[in-house]
């Protein structure tokens, strides 16, 4: 066999080679894609996908990779990977499945290059020089998209758990109870306030009993948040009764300059509910400034 | 007019319809104080449901309105501060001390009525 | 920058414009409804300071990217009288204009990052950022 003249790839020739690779993968698209799908099936990487999904997704991935090779741009791959990650993670598809699939595709492409250029080592290595970095880049783009998606889901779950850990209970008409249990940090204190304020609006609450018996300690930052929660509730017309204030927490509040006499604190939850009932059910003459939230005798407590 | 003022019995109800400039707020102040005097109203409700920014100027002005109206013998209740706004106000350090608040117009009216029933007794 | 919004501040009406535009930009980025109010309120405070103390100035707002996080950056510039003592101005309750003295320290509490630079006689720049959680 008469070998072609081999020469070091110049920019032009590597451009030409790139074109050649792209054309090659486009020509062989059906054969290579089928090979790829067969291999993935063999490895059990397609579990949970329908025949139709396998068809459309494999075509899209195959073509997207060729576009990356052709243009050197990865936005398309990135966007596709993010979408795939969103769906994949939601459907419980594992990262191993996705990455495994792409590694298999890389093998399929690589093997077909080998077949084509095996008699021309120089050209084969030039082809691999072009192809390898692109394949690696695609893999990292996709892996990153999945890791980010995974993190996002974890974060959302953590948030949901946090919300759940501080339920705002509607105790009776216009009375909410907010039992806070466990350590609170600034982030949780802020979420708790937002949650309570929304609950005040949704339940048209006039009184909130905030029980902090279950809070072991607070630093001055968190104590500040608690005071803000009380103030913000008042801006929405609701009076907050704080119960279960331990001596340590009381000390922190005083150190902060909080006037506890303005804060409506009651020993325990039971006492707090009684005070709330008074606020809701009995005639209360107007308190001179600082005014508290809405307290009227219009409603009879059921 | 950005803030229509309605008379309802003994009370005046000012409903803020959109974001207010500083000048609009001052106009509202002047208009309310004037009307309370003319109509001998006993209570004023300012509905700020439509406001999404209550900064230090707006708060200071609302507080001033409440104080001036009290000097004219009437009570002022601010209603409709939204959760997001209340949250922002307290972080900024704004508390509206000395000013009465209620959830919305309905609660505000109920509040005024209670105040006046208990006063008459 | 692609997404920069500039509002020139010359009268109290521009305060409303600035906070509306800031809110829209922040909304594009996906901030929560509470954070939108927080950002708009901080803008309102520093825009009012321009009108009140410097008469004229400009607020520019854009989206920033730092590593994997993104956020909004707001810069207020004026060529007004400047602030002689920034530490004092940043204290709750300090006001030379008969205000509550909460604008600067309050805006700082509302935002994640906050910086004031000022030179007496040549003007004041306030830069503040909020990161998307
Ligand atoms: N852009 C500015 N140029 C010059 N001085 C300023 C500027 N911004 C703030 N200051 C000074 O800093 C002080 C504190 O500002 P800050 O916004 O905290 O309070 P305030 O404007 O006085 O009152 P409030 O904002 O609560 O209505 C002002 O009184 C003023 O002396
Ligand atoms: Mg100010």
């Amino acid at each position: 066999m008469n070998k072609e003249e081999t020469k070091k790839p110049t920019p032009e020739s590597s451009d030409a080679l790139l074109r050649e690779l792209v054309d090659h993968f486009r020509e062989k698209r059906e054969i290579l894609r089928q090979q790829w799908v067969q291999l993935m099936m063999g490895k059990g990487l397609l579990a949970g996908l329908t025949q139709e999904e396998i068809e459309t997704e494999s075509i899209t991935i195959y073509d997207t990779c060729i576009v990356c090779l052709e243009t050197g741009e990865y936005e398309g791959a990135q966007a596709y990977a993010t979408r795939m990650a969103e769906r994949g993670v939601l459907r419980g598809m594992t990262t191993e499945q996705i990455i495994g699939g792409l590694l298999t595709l890389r093998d399929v492409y690589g093997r077909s290059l080998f077949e084509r250029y095996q008699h021309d080592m120089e050209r084969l290595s030039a082809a691999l020089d072009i192809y390898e970095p692109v394949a690696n880049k695609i893999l990292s783009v996709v892996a990153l998209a999945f890791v980010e998606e995974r993190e996002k889901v974890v974060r959302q779950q953590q948030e949901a758990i946090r919300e759940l850990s501080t339920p705002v209970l509607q105790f009776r008409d216009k009375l909410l109870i907010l039992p806070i249990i466990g350590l609170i940090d600034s982030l949780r204190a802020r979420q708790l306030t937002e949650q309570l304020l929304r609950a005040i609006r949704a339940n048209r609450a006039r009184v909130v009993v905030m029980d902090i018996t279950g809070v072991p300690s607070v630093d001055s930052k968190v104590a500040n948040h608690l005071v803000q929660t009380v103030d913000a509730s008042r801006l929405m017309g609701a009076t907050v009764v704080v119960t279960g204030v331990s001596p340590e927490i009381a000390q922190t509040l005083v150190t902060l300059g909080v006037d506890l006499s303005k804060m409506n604190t009651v020993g325990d939850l039971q006492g707090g509910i009684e005070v709330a009932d008074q606020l809701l059910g009995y005639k209360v003459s107007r308190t001179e400034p600082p005014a508290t939230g809405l307290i009227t005798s219009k409603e009879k407590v059921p | 007019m950005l803030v229509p003022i309605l008379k309802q019995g003994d009370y005046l109800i000012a409903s803020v319809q959109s974001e207010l400039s500083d000048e609009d707020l001052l106009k509202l102040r002047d208009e309310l104080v004037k009307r309370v005097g003319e109509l001998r109203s006993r209570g004023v409700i300012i509905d700020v449901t439509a406001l999404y920014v209550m900064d230090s100027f707006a708060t200071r002005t609302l507080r001033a309105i409440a104080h001036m109206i009290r000097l004219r013998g009437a009570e002022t209740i601010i209603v409709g501060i939204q959760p997001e706004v209340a949250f922002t106000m307290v972080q900024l350090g704004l508390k509206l001390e000395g000013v009465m608040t209620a959830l919305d117009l309905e609660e505000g009216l109920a509040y005024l009525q209670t105040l006046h029933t208990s006063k008459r007794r | 920058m692609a997404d920069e919004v500039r509002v020139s501040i010359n009268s109290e009406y521009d305060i409303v414009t600035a906070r509306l535009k800031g809110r829209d930009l922040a909304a594009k980025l996906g901030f929560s409804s509470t954070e939108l109010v927080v950002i708009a309120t901080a803008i309102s405070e520093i825009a009012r300071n321009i009108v009140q103390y410097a008469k004229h100035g400009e607020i520019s707002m854009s989206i920033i990217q730092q590593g994997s996080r993104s956020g909004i950056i707001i810069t207020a510039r004026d060529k007004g009288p400047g602030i002689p003592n920034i530490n004092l101005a940043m204290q709750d309750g300090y006001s030379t204009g008969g205000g509550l003295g909460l604008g600067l320290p309050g805006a700082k509490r509302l935002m994640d990052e906050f910086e004031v630079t000022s030179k007496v006689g040549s003007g004041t720049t306030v830069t503040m950022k909020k990161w998307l959680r």
Side-chain angles (χ1 to χ4, degrees):
Chain A
M1 199 183 287
N2 196 6
K3 274 186 200 166
E4 259 180 75
E5 261 294 297
T6 57
K7 48 189 177 192
K8 285 264 168 277
T10 62
E12 302 96 281
S13 74
S14 101
D15 268 0
L17 185 53
L18 171 63
R19 221 12 309 138
E20 199 176 297
L21 295 186
V22 170
D23 291 344
H24 169 76
F25 290 133
R26 290 235 163 94
E27 255 163 50
K28 295 265 153 97
R29 183 190 193 224
E30 257 332 280
I31 305 168
L32 293 182
R33 190 178 65 82
Q34 293 297 348
Q35 261 178 32
W36 175 39
V37 170
Q38 289 308 319
L39 281 170
M40 285 195 289
M41 275 188 181
K43 294 181 187 169
L45 291 170
L46 299 177
L49 293 176
T50 66
Q51 194 53 45
E52 211 185 310
E53 282 172 328
I54 294 175
E55 280 297 296
T56 52
E57 300 300 324
S58 64
I59 290 173
T60 314
I61 295 173
Y62 190 99
D63 291 348
T64 307
C65 290
I66 306 296
V67 170
C68 292
L69 179 65
E70 191 176 20
T71 63
E73 309 212 343
Y74 297 86
E75 279 94 13
Q78 191 157 18
Y80 180 74
T82 303
R83 256 182 293 135
M84 205 160 67
E86 275 167 17
R87 274 178 301 154
V89 170
L90 289 179
R91 291 184 31 179
M93 230 198 228
T94 62
T95 313
E96 291 69 33
Q97 262 177 301
I98 305 296
I99 302 297
L102 281 170
L103 284 169
T104 311
L105 180 57
R106 196 174 73 162
D107 286 353
V108 169
Y109 283 146
R111 237 176 277 165
S112 107
L113 285 183
F114 188 77
E115 253 162 52
R116 176 164 178 157
Y117 296 114
Q118 57 184 322
H119 303 298
D120 182 349
M121 278 305 158
E122 205 62 42
R123 211 163 172 72
L124 175 61
S125 104
L128 290 179
D129 277 352
I130 294 176
Y131 157 78
E132 289 282 352
V134 175
N136 290 341
K137 176 84 185 180
I138 291 174
L139 269 168
S140 76
V141 161
V142 172
L144 199 69
F146 268 80
V147 169
E148 273 172 4
E149 182 60 25
R150 190 58 64 80
E151 276 174 2
K152 201 167 103 197
V153 169
V154 168
R155 239 182 293 130
Q156 281 164 352
Q157 284 167 347
Q158 278 172 345
E159 220 141 87
I161 289 168
R162 254 196 223 110
E163 295 245 322
L164 273 181
S165 63
T166 312
V168 182
L169 311 169
Q170 166 139 38
F171 190 69
R172 38 175 141 269
D173 193 31
K174 301 199 183 295
L175 172 55
L176 295 179
I177 295 185
L178 175 69
I180 307 177
I181 294 161
L183 278 173
I184 30 184
D185 54 15
S186 276
L187 178 63
R188 191 167 161 228
R190 210 173 299 156
Q191 285 170 335
L192 200 140
T193 308
E194 284 195 61
Q195 213 187 336
L196 175 65
L197 297 176
R198 280 195 296 266
I200 288 173
R201 181 174 61 188
N203 298 290
R204 306 180 59 77
R206 286 179 183 175
V207 183
V208 176
V209 178
M210 183 164 94
D211 182 52
I212 58 172
T213 312
V215 179
S217 73
V218 297
D219 59 13
S220 67
K221 226 169 158 188
V222 171
N224 229 331
H225 279 298
L226 291 179
V227 175
Q228 287 183 353
T229 309
V230 173
D231 289 338
S233 303
R234 194 191 75 78
L235 289 175
M236 293 188 63
T239 304
V240 177
V241 179
V242 186
T243 63
V245 182
S246 69
E248 289 88 349
I249 293 180
Q251 189 54 50
T252 311
L253 290 172
V254 170
T255 315
L256 259 181
V258 176
D259 186 348
L260 283 179
S261 68
K262 282 187 191 162
M263 246 194 63
N264 239 335
T265 55
V266 179
D268 61 1
L269 184 58
Q270 187 57 44
I273 292 172
E274 277 162 25
V275 170
D277 280 346
Q278 272 167 29
L279 292 173
L280 284 167
Y282 294 91
K283 294 219 153 49
V284 176
S285 62
R286 177 163 156 251
T287 47
E288 282 305 319
T292 50
L294 180 52
I295 303 159
T296 79
S297 57
K298 208 184 88 185
E299 315 276 334
K300 272 281 156 284
V301 174
Chain B
M1 188 182 188
L2 277 164
V3 188
I5 300 174
L6 300 176
K7 181 176 177 297
Q8 182 164 337
D10 281 346
Y11 306 136
L12 288 181
I13 299 169
S15 321
V16 177
Q17 304 290 309
S18 64
E19 281 305 296
L20 297 182
S21 71
D22 298 1
E23 194 191 334
D24 300 328
L25 267 166
L26 295 177
K27 265 195 211 143
L28 173 64
R29 178 192 67 192
D30 298 349
E31 190 66 23
L32 275 177
V33 173
K34 193 178 102 202
R35 297 257 200 114
V36 166
E38 285 168 4
L39 299 167
R40 298 183 189 289
S41 308
R42 298 204 299 155
V44 173
I45 293 178
I46 304 176
D47 185 351
V48 297
T49 307
L51 279 193
Y52 78 86
V53 167
M54 278 274 246
D55 57 12
S56 71
F57 181 83
T59 306
R60 182 152 50 98
T61 311
L62 287 177
R63 220 165 60 173
I65 293 177
H67 291 168
M68 286 161 87
I69 287 174
R70 190 170 298 147
L71 291 176
R72 296 227 143 186
E75 297 296 344
T76 304
I77 300 183
I78 310 289
V79 306
I81 297 180
Q82 296 301 296
E84 296 85 357
V85 177
F87 181 85
T88 305
M89 286 174 74
V90 296
Q91 272 195 68
L92 197 68
L94 304 166
K95 292 187 229 170
L96 270 178
E97 293 108 325
V99 180
M100 290 181 279
T101 49
L103 187 72
D104 54 17
L105 196 55
E106 188 188 329
E107 292 282 287
L109 282 168
Y111 195 174
L112 277 179
Q113 254 137 29
T114 327
L115 281 182
H116 293 134
T117 352
S118 52
K119 255 187 197 169
R120 263 201 298 275
R121 303 223 158 139
Chain C
M1 209 174 284
D3 262 317
E4 193 177 36
V5 179
R6 288 164 179 275
V7 181
S8 99
I9 306 289
N10 300 297
S11 81
E12 46 145 315
Y13 298 101
D14 301 326
I15 302 173
V16 179
T17 311
R19 67 195 189 203
L20 278 171
K21 294 218 165 139
R23 188 176 81 148
D24 287 350
L25 184 64
K28 261 197 227 158
L29 209 61
F31 279 105
S32 76
S33 65
T34 302
E35 288 165 326
L36 293 183
V37 173
V38 161
I39 292 166
T41 308
I43 294 172
S44 193
E45 293 297 346
I46 57 163
R48 178 167 293 95
N49 282 353
I50 293 180
V51 173
Q52 199 171 354
Y53 303 106
K55 303 286 183 282
H56 306 284
E58 187 187 64
I59 292 189
S60 60
M61 306 175 264
S62 45
I63 288 170
I64 39 166
Q65 199 78 37
Q66 196 178 83
S68 66
R69 62 181 188 167
S70 47
I72 186 170
I73 178 166
I74 297 149
T75 309
R77 283 192 195 82
D78 68 58
K79 295 193 166 65
I83 304 174
N85 186 339
I86 293 178
N87 284 340
L88 206 56
M90 289 302 298
Q91 275 174 24
D92 273 356
Y94 175 82
S95 172
T96 60
L100 297 173
L102 286 175
L104 289 179
K108 180 178 182 180
R109 281 190 290 268
L110 292 177
M111 302 298 282
D112 292 330
E113 289 173 37
F114 190 90
E115 194 187 19
V116 187
T117 54
S118 187
K119 204 166 166 206
V120 174
S122 48
T124 303
T125 301
V126 176
T127 310
M128 48 193 197
K129 293 179 197 163
K130 186 104 189 159
W131 298 108
L132 205 56
R133 261 179 240 294

